[in-house]
Amino acid sequence: MNDEKVWLTETRLGIWSVAVIALVCISVALSYTRAILIPFIFSLFLYFMLLPLMRSLRQKFNCPRWLALAITFMFVFMIIISLGLFITTTVKGFFEGYEAYQNKVIIVFEQIKTNLSAQGYNVEALDIEDQIKKIPVVDILKNTGFGVLNFIGKLALVFIFLLFLFTGTKTQSAEDERVTNELLIEIDRKIRQYLITKLATSTVTAVIVGVFLFSMNLDFAFAFTVLVFVLNFIPTVGSVIATILPIPVALIQYENPAYIVSIVAIPTVVQFCIGNLIEPILLGDSLKLHPVMILISLMFWTLIWGIPGAFIAVPITAVIKIIFEKIEGGKAISNLMAGQIQN
């Protein structure tokens, strides 16, 4: 009897050891192939979101396949162009007004320096103006330009993957959908529901926050509005970052503390109400992921793929959970990811 217990213990230890080694190997492979996998995953999620548009064009408006494909890709192309214009305009606007902001920052720090001196602190040796003027603006601009070019290159790769995904998709009639693999149908349905819900809630959040920021005449209000929309796709952390980002600009721009507090308070309330009250109702139990699992997946995919990994952490984890739910022997892992721990 003791020998059987020892054998079972050794077997379980061996299984867990193999699982850990496999996880490490997969993580290394994912990190090594990130240059290809990240654009492919993004194109796959775009495919899930845009496929209903193409189906509607074909079935409701009787568009030929080539025309539906052309309209869909024209829509994607317009989004990419708008994104590129936004980035270039925002960067250009920032560097055009850099000197004015530099002077404002110097004034703010000089006021702080004066207040500290009045309190008896020795800060006369701190040459704030000289330190601020030493900031390597040219290098920052150069790195920003390289970053934008790299981002455009990644978008082009996403566009190419998306083209192959759509051209490789046959006409989706009702009969075709019935014979499609059950696993793919569930992944398609749940991921599309998640993405569309996030798209809707992020848009509403960005519009409300944007209207408020514009009403406050905050500098770079449009840029902060777009960042609110984009960062809302990162669970938990994204909304916090989107709320914090305008604070430095508000501190420099406004003298009235009430304005600065409102720049933080109003977006926080909007983010909380939509993200914690409305969005869970719309999503329901579609993903069935425990909040702790979402946080772990966010840390893991950010570690493996950086910022892009943070955006796609939840849908990727949801896909993995669905796969474990359908395969033999994976139900326990799926339940664990949903927080359903069985005794």
Side-chain angles (χ1 to χ4, degrees):
M1 192 70 179
N2 289 332
D3 292 339
E4 185 178 351
K5 288 183 178 179
V6 171
W7 180 82
L8 286 173
T9 303
E10 291 178 348
T11 303
R12 288 173 182 171
L13 182 62
I15 292 172
W16 280 108
S17 300
V18 171
V20 171
I21 294 171
L23 180 61
V24 172
C25 293
I26 291 171
S27 301
V28 172
L30 289 172
S31 180
Y32 185 75
T33 57
R34 58 183 295 172
I36 299 297
L37 283 180
I38 291 175
F40 175 72
I41 295 296
F42 271 99
S43 65
L44 201 58
F45 290 142
L46 278 175
Y47 171 77
F48 280 128
M49 294 180 66
L50 293 171
L51 190 59
L53 172 62
M54 188 170 177
R55 286 177 178 173
S56 297
L57 290 171
R58 301 243 20 220
Q59 296 173 5
K60 294 182 180 179
F61 299 98
N62 294 321
C63 289
R65 179 179 172 79
W66 66 268
L67 182 58
L69 193 62
I71 293 173
T72 303
F73 270 86
M74 185 62 67
F75 178 71
V76 175
F77 187 70
M78 288 174 62
I79 293 176
I80 293 175
I81 293 296
S82 301
L83 189 59
L85 288 173
F86 161 72
I87 293 173
T88 53
T89 303
T90 303
V91 172
K92 181 182 177 182
F94 174 77
F95 284 102
E96 283 179 351
Y98 176 76
E99 286 189 10
Y101 265 90
Q102 188 182 56
N103 294 331
K104 289 182 180 179
V105 172
I106 290 172
I107 292 171
V108 170
F109 275 101
E110 287 297 337
Q111 289 176 348
I112 295 173
K113 183 178 175 181
T114 302
N115 293 333
L116 289 175
S117 297
Q119 296 293 327
Y121 294 98
N122 184 18
V123 292
E124 295 300 326
L126 295 175
D127 191 353
I128 302 295
E129 183 175 352
D130 185 58
Q131 294 298 323
I132 291 175
K133 288 183 176 180
K134 284 182 179 179
I135 296 175
V137 181
V138 176
D139 292 338
I140 294 173
L141 181 59
K142 189 185 298 182
N143 292 332
T144 303
F146 284 131
V148 171
L149 289 175
N150 183 54
F151 180 72
I152 292 173
K154 291 289 190 295
L155 280 180
L157 193 56
V158 169
F159 192 82
I160 292 170
F161 278 131
L162 197 60
L163 178 63
F164 279 103
L165 286 171
F166 271 110
T167 53
T169 302
K170 296 181 180 179
T171 304
Q172 295 290 326
S173 63
E175 290 76 12
D176 293 330
E177 292 182 358
R178 291 194 193 101
V179 299
T180 306
N181 187 278
E182 180 184 346
L183 175 63
L184 296 179
I185 289 177
E186 184 169 357
I187 291 174
D188 180 38
R189 178 176 57 83
K190 289 188 175 182
I191 297 304
R192 186 182 295 119
Q193 180 184 355
Y194 171 78
L195 292 175
I196 291 175
T197 302
K198 287 297 292 184
L199 182 64
T201 55
S202 297
T203 302
V204 173
T205 304
V207 168
I208 296 174
V209 172
V211 169
F212 169 72
L213 295 180
F214 275 106
S215 69
M216 297 288 291
N217 292 319
L218 182 72
D219 292 341
F220 306 110
F222 180 71
F224 289 129
T225 301
V226 174
L227 287 172
V228 167
F229 171 78
V230 173
L231 292 173
N232 262 273
F233 283 87
I234 301 178
T236 310
V237 181
S239 58
V240 176
I241 296 174
T243 304
I244 293 173
L245 283 176
I247 295 178
V249 176
L251 287 171
I252 296 170
Q253 183 177 346
Y254 301 126
E255 294 182 2
N256 190 340
Y259 284 13
I260 300 171
V261 172
S262 63
I263 287 293
V264 179
I266 301 300
T268 300
V269 172
V270 173
Q271 296 269 17
F272 177 82
C273 292
I274 295 179
N276 294 279
L277 301 178
I278 298 175
E279 189 176 288
I281 295 174
L282 295 175
L283 283 175
D285 60 349
S286 59
L287 297 183
K288 296 180 181 178
L289 288 173
H290 194 273
V292 174
M293 190 66 226
I294 292 176
L295 189 60
I296 292 173
S297 68
L298 179 63
M299 292 188 292
F300 174 79
W301 290 108
T302 304
L303 179 66
I304 298 296
W305 284 350
I307 294 176
F311 282 96
I312 54 181
V314 172
I316 286 181
T317 307
V319 170
I320 294 172
K321 179 187 176 298
I322 294 170
I323 292 172
F324 274 120
E325 191 176 323
K326 296 298 180 182
I327 63 176
E328 185 178 354
K331 189 71 175 177
I333 298 177
S334 177
N335 290 337
L336 181 64
M337 295 175 74
Q340 300 171 358
I341 302 176
Q342 299 176 350
N343 295 326

